[in-house]
Amino acid sequence: MLTLLDYETLKVIWWLIVGVLLIGFAIMDGHDMGVLTLLPFVGKDDDERRVIVNTVGPHWEGNQVWFITAGGAIFAALPLVYATAFSGFYWALIAALWALFFRPVGFKYRSMIKNDTWRNTWDWLLLVGSFVPTLIFGVAFGNLLLGVPFSLDSHLVSTYTGSFFELLSPFALLCGLVSVAMLVMQGGVYLAHRTVDEIQTRSKNAAKFAAILTVVLFVATGFWVVNLDGYVITSNIDTNATIDPIAKAVAVQSGAWLNNFYAHSALWLLPALGVVMPLVTIALLKMARTLLAFITSSLALLGIIGTAGVALFPFYMPSSIDPKSSLTVWDATSSHLTLTIMLFVVIVLLPVVVTYTSWGYAIMRGKVTKAYIKQNEKTLY
C-alpha cells in the first residue's frame, strides 16, 4: 500500500511525524524537565526533594526515547536540516547536551551520600540539566521564525555566518521563556497529581503561576509575530521532485508567518488551545482534578508547538541571508525510498513506544509520599 504514496504525500507525512515526535517529547520528557526545574523551590527539605525526584525517577529514561527518536527522525528524514541546524546551532546544542548530562548523573548519585551540601548541589545541577535545554529549545524555535543566517552553495554545502550570542535576540529569548513556562506548568501539574499535602499544594501554586505566565508570554509572542518578517515561496516548485533547495525563489514579507492561518481558518484552533487550555488547567487544579489538568496542560503544549509548526510550513529552516537557500518540506527531505522504509519503521515502533510507556505509567500510578520513601530508602533515588 505504501508504494502507492507519492513523494509529495510522503514529505507531508514526515512533516507531521516530526511534529508528533516533538510534541510527544514536550509532553513526556517535558513534564520531568518541568518537575526538576521546580525541585529546589517546591521541595523544602531533603525528604520532600526525594519525593519529587522519585515521581519522575522510574520514567525519565523512557521519556528520553521521544527525544532520541525525534533527533533520529530528523537525521534520517531531513538530512540537510539536521546538518545545517547542527552547523548553525552548534554551540547552543553543545550547551544543551552538556546540561542534559547532569540528569543521569544526578539521578544516580544524588542520594548515595547523606550530606546536605552534596544533595543540594545535585538538586541545583538537576535544575540546570532541565532548565537550560528547555530554554535553548525555545530559543531555537524563535530563531527559525526569525530566519537563520546560512547559505547553500551549488554543492548544497551550508555556510553559517552567525554566532552563538546572535541567537540570543529578544524575540528568541521570549520564545525560550514560553518554552520554560509551558514545561514548568506541565511539570507542576504532574507533581500535583503524584504527590500529597504540602508538596501538592506548592506544586499546584507553581503550575497555576506558570500557566498564567504561559498565556501572557504566548500572546506576547503572537503580537510580535504579526509584524515579524515571514517567508513565502514565490516561484513554481515541483513538490514531487528530488531535493534542490537553491532552485526556488523565496520572498520576505512582513506578517507572512500568519498566511497559513488566514488561508485555513480551522488552524486558529491551535493558538486557541495554547491560550485556553492553560486557563482550563488552572480551573481543574482548583477542583483537584489533577489527571484532567495534565491532559489539558498537554493540549496546551500541542497548541503552542503546533502553532509554530503551522506558521513555519512549508519551511523547516528559513535563511535570513539567502532566502532561496531556505530548507522546506518540498526540497529538504530524504529520497522517496528512504521515507517509505522509515514510514514502515514508524508504523511498527511508534505503537510499541506508546504501549510500553503507558504500561509503565499505569503500573506506577500511585502517590509518592515521604512514608513510601522511608520504606524504600535503600532502593529509591
Side-chain angles (χ1 to χ4, degrees):
M1 182 186 74
L2 293 176
T3 55
L4 299 176
L5 295 176
D6 60 35
Y7 199 15
E8 179 185 18
T9 304
L10 276 172
K11 290 173 181 177
V12 175
I13 288 174
W14 270 99
W15 177 78
L16 288 169
I17 289 174
V18 170
V20 167
L21 291 174
L22 290 177
I23 291 168
F25 164 65
I27 292 172
M28 301 307 296
D29 217 10
H31 78 249
D32 63 51
M33 285 184 169
V35 165
L36 295 177
T37 301
L38 290 171
L39 175 61
F41 308 109
V42 172
K44 297 302 182 185
D45 55 37
D46 182 61
D47 288 339
E48 291 187 351
R49 292 182 181 183
R50 287 196 75 180
V51 168
I52 293 169
V53 168
N54 281 285
T55 60
V56 294
H59 308 293
W60 76 271
E61 287 174 300
N63 293 337
Q64 295 268 305
V65 170
W66 290 93
F67 178 53
I68 295 167
T69 306
I74 294 172
F75 172 77
L78 315 170
L80 267 177
V81 176
Y82 186 90
T84 306
F86 266 76
S87 298
F89 300 150
Y90 181 78
W91 290 111
L93 291 173
I94 289 295
L97 288 174
W98 275 101
L100 285 169
F101 290 158
F102 290 128
R103 284 156 52 88
V105 182
F107 275 110
K108 298 295 182 187
Y109 290 104
R110 180 196 178 279
S111 297
M112 284 191 171
I113 298 176
K114 201 164 188 176
N115 175 282
D116 289 342
T117 302
W118 172 267
R119 294 186 174 185
N120 283 335
T121 301
W122 281 116
D123 291 341
W124 284 97
L125 290 176
L126 283 169
L127 180 151
V128 170
S130 299
F131 173 83
V132 171
T134 301
L135 181 69
I136 287 177
F137 294 150
V139 167
F141 261 100
N143 277 283
L144 293 182
L145 289 164
L146 291 172
V148 182
F150 75 94
S151 60
L152 299 175
D153 63 18
S154 58
H155 301 289
L156 302 185
V157 176
S158 66
T159 301
Y160 179 76
T161 60
S163 68
F164 171 76
F165 292 104
E166 288 176 43
L167 297 175
L168 306 177
S169 65
F171 177 77
L173 286 173
L174 176 60
C175 293
L177 292 177
V178 172
S179 174
V180 172
M182 70 182 192
L183 295 195
V184 168
M185 171 183 69
Q186 184 81 341
V189 173
Y190 179 77
L191 261 186
H193 182 64
R194 294 296 310 280
T195 58
V196 295
D197 301 331
E198 295 91 348
I199 304 175
Q200 186 184 55
T201 301
R202 290 187 213 116
S203 301
K204 285 182 179 178
N205 291 336
K208 292 173 190 172
F209 177 74
I212 293 171
L213 202 57
T214 299
V215 173
V216 171
L217 294 174
F218 182 52
V219 170
T221 306
F223 278 111
W224 198 323
V225 168
V226 169
N227 297 309
L228 202 66
D229 285 342
Y231 292 72
V232 179
I233 298 175
T234 55
S235 61
N236 292 326
I237 186 167
D238 183 357
T239 54
N240 263 309
T242 53
I243 60 171
D244 189 7
I246 56 177
K248 64 183 179 298
V250 174
V252 178
Q253 298 175 3
S254 178
W257 287 139
L258 297 180
N259 286 354
N260 289 330
F261 295 97
Y262 294 140
H264 307 282
S265 56
L267 294 174
W268 287 107
L269 178 63
L270 290 169
L273 285 175
V275 173
V276 174
M277 285 299 111
L279 302 178
V280 175
T281 300
I282 293 173
L284 290 169
L285 286 174
K286 287 181 178 176
M287 293 186 284
R289 304 295 297 272
T290 52
L291 181 57
L292 279 177
F294 185 77
I295 293 172
T296 56
S297 176
S298 300
L299 288 173
L301 268 57
L302 183 155
I304 292 170
I305 298 172
T307 298
V310 166
L312 282 166
F313 186 88
F315 291 88
Y316 281 121
M317 198 168 178
S319 168
S320 59
I321 60 171
D322 184 24
K324 70 179 175 57
S325 292
S326 299
L327 302 175
T328 75
V329 171
W330 313 124
D331 54 26
T333 55
S334 290
S335 68
H336 186 280
L337 177 62
T338 301
L339 295 185
T340 302
I341 293 172
M342 286 179 56
L343 185 56
F344 272 114
V345 174
V346 169
I347 289 172
V348 172
L349 292 186
L350 191 58
V352 174
V353 172
V354 172
T355 301
Y356 80 68
T357 301
S358 303
W359 177 78
Y361 278 92
I363 291 295
M364 309 195 73
R365 62 183 179 278
K367 301 285 187 181
V368 181
T369 63
K370 292 181 183 180
Y372 173 74
I373 297 295
K374 288 190 181 300
Q375 289 167 7
N376 302 276
E377 190 165 7
K378 300 295 183 185
T379 57
L380 294 176
Y381 289 120

